[in-house]
């Protein structure tokens, strides 16, 4: 029994005025067939050796017991439910609308009523899957105010975007986990922040930066920096594909947060035209890295896609690398750009 407070007041056990302690006690109760232990709060009369449970204590102790039960059987606690709702900035009333539950259901779950498993699963899904929240929100659009809908949509969309980027980062890192050799990584670990900056930097210097050209320019930049400084810029690993060097994980890389492009139709195929994000600023790229990129921009920045492919095909690094094999940085010493 631990005392957390002591004050002189009317003691409801012996009905006299004396020092009364507020104490924390480990209680055990059986709830829904489960034995649950939890910290309960009481007042303690030392004269009669009795515990007193004030009205607000009855409420708090009951909630503590139910949360202990929730934890024991693997359900969300009342606070976790509140956090999930707050994460989307939704009111209790609107959250019940969105979930298509009874008006007071959420309010009750955030308090004393232990949620059933099906509802718990829905709440966990909403927590981990902002896309699902957005889809669900869309279905109940008519039942909440436009202003509230717009607010929830904005928050949900931002959460979704953050999650998506996290998945992308993880999937690219998984691809790169196997690459360790200096010959193929250029002696630096993958730095995706730098990769995003490189794409923006190139897009700010080159007027028509399409996919094929971007991939070649990234490779030239890394290879030239390796030639000059003995290490690459980004840590990207490139393979020799028919059109030239292509970084591993390229499809995921161009979807990262901070990479922007317009889609342009050429006859019957769609191309990406990369552009710098608004207010692009360099944070990670060093002086020598920018200088290498500037040299690449002046050497190949004006070339058409087929011309840069042709130039790549003439590089020793390309000619001496097997079809679809990883290009070694050891060829950088003979790179055509210096
Ligand atoms: Zn007393």
């Amino acid at each position: 029994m631990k005392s957390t407070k002591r004050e002189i007041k009317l003691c409801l056990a012996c009905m006299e005025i004396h020092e009364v302690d507020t104490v924390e006690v480990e209680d055990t109760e059986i709830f829904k067939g489960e034995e649950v232990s939890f910290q309960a709060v009481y007042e303690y009369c030392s004269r009669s050796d009795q515990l007193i449970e004030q009205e607000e204590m009855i409420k708090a102790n009951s909630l503590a017991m139910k949360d202990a039960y929730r934890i024991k059987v693997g359900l969300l606690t009342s606070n976790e439910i509140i956090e999930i709702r707050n994460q989307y900035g939704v009111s209790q009333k609107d959250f019940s609308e969105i979930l298509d539950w009874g008006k007071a259901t959420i309010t009750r779950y955030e308090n004393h009523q232990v949620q059933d498993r099906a509802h718990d699963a829905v709440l966990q899904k909403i927590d981990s899957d902002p896309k699902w929240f957005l889809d669900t929100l869309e279905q109940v659009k008519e039942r909440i105010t436009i202003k509230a809908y717009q607010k929830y949509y904005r928050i949900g969309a931002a959460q979704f975007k953050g999650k998506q980027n996290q998945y992308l980062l993880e999937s690219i890192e998984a691809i790169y986990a196997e690459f360790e050799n200096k010959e193929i990584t250029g002696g630096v670990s993958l730095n995706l922040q730098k990769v995003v900056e490189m794409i923006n930097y190139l897009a700010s210097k080159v007027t028509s930066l399409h996919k094929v050209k971007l991939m070649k320019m990234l490779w030239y930049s890394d290879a030239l920096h390796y030639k000059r400084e003995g290490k690459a810029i980004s840590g990207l690993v490139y393979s020799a594909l028919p059109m030239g060097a292509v970084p591993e994980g390229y499809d995921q890389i161009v979807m990262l947060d901070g990479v922007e492009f317009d889609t342009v139709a050429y006859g019957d195929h769609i191309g990406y035209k990369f552009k710098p994000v608004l207010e692009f600023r360099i944070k990670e790229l060093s002086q020598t890295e920018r200088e290498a990129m500037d040299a690449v921009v002046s050497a190949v920045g004006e070339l058409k896609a087929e011309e840069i492919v042709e130039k790549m095909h003439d590089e020793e690094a390309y000619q001496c690398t097997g079809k679809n094999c990883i290009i070694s940085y050891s060829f950088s010493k003979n790179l055509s750009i210096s």
Side-chain angles (χ1 to χ4, degrees), residues 186-204:
V188 289
S189 328
L190 178 67
N191 182 333
L192 287 168
Q193 179 58 39
K194 269 192 187 176
V195 173
V196 170
E197 279 187 20
M198 287 172 85
I199 295 172
N200 276 280
Y201 191 69
L202 292 170
S204 71

Side-chain angles (χ1 to χ4, degrees), residues 9-20 44-50 52:
K9 60 191 282 187
L10 174 68
C11 170
L12 294 177
C14 63
M15 297 315 278
E16 284 179 43
I17 293 175
H18 67 87
E19 272 190 338
V20 178
Y44 176 66
C45 167
S46 53
R47 296 186 183 181
S48 65
D49 190 28
Q50 277 190 69
I52 310 125

Side-chain angles (χ1 to χ4, degrees), residues 21-23 25 27 40-44 51-53 57 61:
D21 284 304
T22 301
V23 294
V25 181
D27 257 359
V41 178
Y42 296 96
E43 282 182 353
Y44 176 66
L51 290 171
I52 310 125
E53 201 175 17
M57 290 172 177
N61 291 343

